[in-house]
Amino acid sequence: MSKTFFPGGIHLKDNKECTRDLPIELFKDPEVAVILMSQHLGKPAKPIVQAGDKVKIGQLIGEAQGDFSSNIHASISGEVIKVTPASHPVSIEDMAVTIQNDHQSEWYQVLNTKKENVLFSREELLEIIKKNGIVGMGGATFPTHIKLNPKNPVDTLIINGAECEPFLTCDFRLMMEQSDALLNGIKVILKILPVKQVIIGIEENKKEAIKQLKSLIEKTDFSAQVRVETLKEKYPQGAEKNLIFALTKRTVQIGKLPFDIGVVVQNVATVIAIFEAVYFKKPLIDRVLTVTGYGIKEPKNLRVKIGTPVQELITFCQGNTENPGKVIFGGPMMGIAIRSLETPIMKGTSGVLVLNGNIPYQENQCIRCGKCVENCPAGLMPVKITESAKIGEYVQYEKLFVSSCIECGVCSYNCPAAIPLLNYIRLAKAELMKRRNQK
Ligand code: SF4
Ligand code: SF4
């Protein structure tokens, strides 16, 4: 079996054994859903409901502001009890619509219950994806209707099934349990983007998914166009630029985007969400995620409604072990530590990782070992960016290509001085973005 990979990066223990063999369980609708208006890249949606309004599942409650934004829908039926800021993993607080569950589970629109032939035009398909609030569910949350309408001609679609973050297994479970939906989602995308080739990239630690998808593709009418490639297990294999290089040997230069070299990448969960929107008219109101880590008693893969407070998921997983540590949205490398267990699940939350609280931490002086530079898959100088960020030397940020950091966390992981390089780089990126918006 040939295995492909990218230069740089690191080998990590995958820690996926806690949940990899656990089928996806359906988590009950929460008592209260806190639905943030900023769950995507771009402008936050604008709430269009107010306290006292009755809403149904799938009803539009937040309207996209311009094209670079995304619609937000009610994930449960009930009464809007407030429209106020709530805990947000990145911006600390952001506007949210809070809905009290009426337990009627009424849908706003009737969902199609049988698969239909996709008779829509390219433009109609893009509109369906936009209307239903589909965004990248691998964590980047880029509005999908924009990504599928690139400025440059594209000849390759890559489906990202790498799931290189340790602990997370939700994409693996989706590939195993919803492979038909994944292949039908690819068919929809092919109608929008008639590319020459589709490559599904999966890391070698998911052999069952590789085998199953290969065998299903053989039976389809697009088997000549779609293939599965086995990727070597390496972190961060799932980062777009690395994945593209590993699968096509094309390089996305600093400051450029995948479509500049004829490629579009979609995560497996997003492709399934596209399928559900087109075939069943279902907006993005839930997602599959992994609740895991050594700080949780019974790790699980769960399908969860958007807006569910994280505390409810921890309780459902039998609570914490004796000495729980930080709670992280996402995996241990790229994830973000949350400040409150009231923080709600968002469209881009692929995991809830509860760490063990015994990990000692002390930042030391840089010893100039150069490891962070050597292993950075984006070719950056993390130590230099950190030094500039520590003294607020923002004029250096552009020169050091801060925006090209893919936030993989490899530099922090490798640093023998335990310097939280990624934290400083995130600060620098946020400052740079703020200054650009002010111009
Ligand atoms: S600078 Fe960014 S891209 Fe490079 S290793 Fe650190 S987190 Fe990853
Ligand atoms: S890895 Fe850490 S100690 Fe080594 S050069 Fe980078 S910041 Fe300094």
Side-chain angles (χ1 to χ4, degrees):
M1 194 189 289
S2 74
K3 292 169 200 164
T4 183
F5 58 96
F6 67 96
I10 49 174
H11 297 277
L12 295 171
K13 180 170 173 350
D14 77 9
N15 285 310
K16 292 180 191 283
E17 65 283 353
C18 324
T19 52
R20 70 185 312 284
D21 296 325
L22 300 178
I24 299 163
E25 286 180 52
L26 191 62
F27 182 71
K28 65 178 177 30
D29 284 2
E31 203 47 49
V32 168
V34 182
I35 305 179
L36 289 158
M37 294 293 109
S38 183
Q39 304 194 33
H40 46 264
L41 270 190
K43 282 191 183 166
K46 186 175 163 207
I48 56 165
V49 290
Q50 51 194 4
D53 287 353
K54 300 272 191 285
V55 292
K56 294 182 181 176
I57 303 172
Q59 183 174 337
L60 186 69
I61 56 170
E63 207 167 51
Q65 295 302 290
D67 225 19
F68 205 79
S69 180
S70 191
N71 283 339
I72 305 281
H73 302 80
S75 59
I76 59 172
S77 67
E79 183 178 333
V80 175
I81 51 174
K82 54 184 176 180
V83 181
T84 52
S87 177
H88 190 287
V90 181
S91 56
I92 303 178
E93 274 205 330
D94 230 308
M95 191 53 74
V97 170
T98 302
I99 305 168
Q100 176 75 50
N101 198 340
D102 63 5
H103 298 284
Q104 298 303 306
S105 299
E106 268 187 277
W107 277 82
Y108 187 64
Q109 70 276 36
V110 180
L111 293 193
N112 289 352
T113 49
K114 66 176 175 56
K115 293 178 187 174
E116 290 176 344
N117 288 328
V118 183
L119 299 171
F120 302 108
S121 68
R122 177 182 187 276
E123 287 66 33
E124 284 168 332
L125 289 170
L126 282 170
E127 190 54 33
I128 291 169
I129 290 166
K130 179 179 178 185
K131 200 174 129 198
N132 286 295
I134 312 297
V135 300
M137 295 168 78
T141 64
F142 199 96
T144 303
H145 64 280
I146 302 175
K147 207 171 184 187
L148 291 181
N149 196 12
K151 290 186 201 135
N152 296 357
V154 163
D155 63 13
T156 302
L157 167 68
I158 290 178
I159 306 300
N160 188 350
E163 199 167 51
C164 61
E165 271 273 2
F167 286 98
L168 303 187
T169 56
C170 51
D171 285 354
F172 169 66
R173 292 312 315 174
L174 280 173
M175 288 188 281
M176 292 302 293
E177 297 177 44
Q178 288 194 254
S179 33
D180 276 346
L182 177 63
L183 296 182
N184 279 312
I186 292 173
K187 261 190 183 172
V188 172
I189 299 179
L190 282 175
K191 188 145 188 199
I192 300 169
L193 279 177
V195 294
K196 281 197 204 125
Q197 58 171 351
V198 181
I199 313 172
I200 307 176
I202 307 177
E203 277 195 348
E204 60 187 326
N205 57 355
K206 301 170 196 71
K207 287 194 174 57
E208 301 91 329
I210 294 170
K211 192 174 163 204
Q212 177 164 302
L213 283 169
K214 276 187 175 173
S215 136
L216 284 172
I217 289 166
E218 267 175 27
K219 294 173 200 144
T220 65
D221 54 1
F222 59 14
S223 58
Q225 206 177 355
V226 182
R227 68 177 195 275
V228 178
E229 286 277 359
T230 305
L231 298 157
K232 216 170 163 180
E233 216 182 310
K234 202 176 185 195
Y235 183 83
Q237 186 81 256
E240 272 195 358
K241 292 181 183 181
N242 297 335
L243 191 63
I244 292 169
F245 183 83
L247 295 171
T248 66
K249 299 292 172 273
R250 298 181 203 174
T251 303
V252 184
Q253 299 294 345
I254 285 182
K256 297 284 180 192
L257 291 167
F259 69 70
D260 291 315
I261 54 161
V263 181
V264 163
V265 182
Q266 290 291 340
N267 157 271
V268 291
T270 317
V271 178
I272 292 172
I274 291 171
F275 159 76
E276 290 177 343
V278 171
Y279 278 69
F280 303 133
K281 299 183 186 154
K282 183 184 161 200
L284 185 41
I285 55 151
D286 60 10
R287 69 156 297 141
V288 175
L289 53 78
T290 309
V291 184
T292 184
Y294 298 122
I296 200 94
K297 277 190 183 154
E298 270 191 24
K300 289 178 188 295
N301 292 301
L302 297 173
R303 180 170 287 280
V304 175
K305 287 286 177 71
I306 303 297
T308 303
V310 73
Q311 177 64 69
E312 291 201 28
L313 302 184
I314 293 174
T315 305
F316 185 68
C317 293
Q318 306 305 322
N320 294 120
T321 51
E322 270 176 22
N323 186 18
K326 278 186 195 169
V327 178
I328 292 174
F329 268 15
M333 299 298 286
M334 286 200 202
I336 295 175
I338 56 166
R339 295 165 192 84
S340 159
L341 294 181
E342 294 305 309
T343 309
I345 298 305
M346 297 160 71
K347 294 178 181 180
T349 314
S350 50
V352 172
L353 173 69
V354 185
L355 297 177
N356 188 308
N358 291 329
I359 300 166
Y361 171 78
Q362 194 192 346
E363 180 178 339
N364 293 304
Q365 284 283 333
C366 171
I367 56 167
R368 302 279 157 194
C369 66
K371 277 191 180 178
C372 56
V373 179
E374 205 178 298
N375 292 308
C376 173
L380 305 181
M381 291 197 282
V383 58
K384 288 268 178 215
I385 301 171
T386 298
E387 283 168 359
S388 297
K390 278 184 175 174
I391 55 171
E393 201 181 16
Y394 65 87
V395 284
Q396 290 297 324
Y397 298 166
E398 301 251 22
K399 290 181 196 157
L400 293 166
F401 302 106
V402 168
S403 312
S404 295
C405 168
I406 55 170
E407 301 188 15
C408 66
V410 165
C411 49
S412 304
Y413 178 83
N414 270 329
C415 176
I419 300 170
L421 295 147
L422 177 55
N423 290 2
Y424 289 111
I425 294 166
R426 279 184 172 141
L427 278 177
K429 280 179 90 173
E431 181 63 23
L432 192 62
M433 183 71 79
K434 200 169 117 195
R435 286 175 187 271
R436 277 186 189 152
N437 288 342
Q438 281 166 356
K439 278 183 191 166

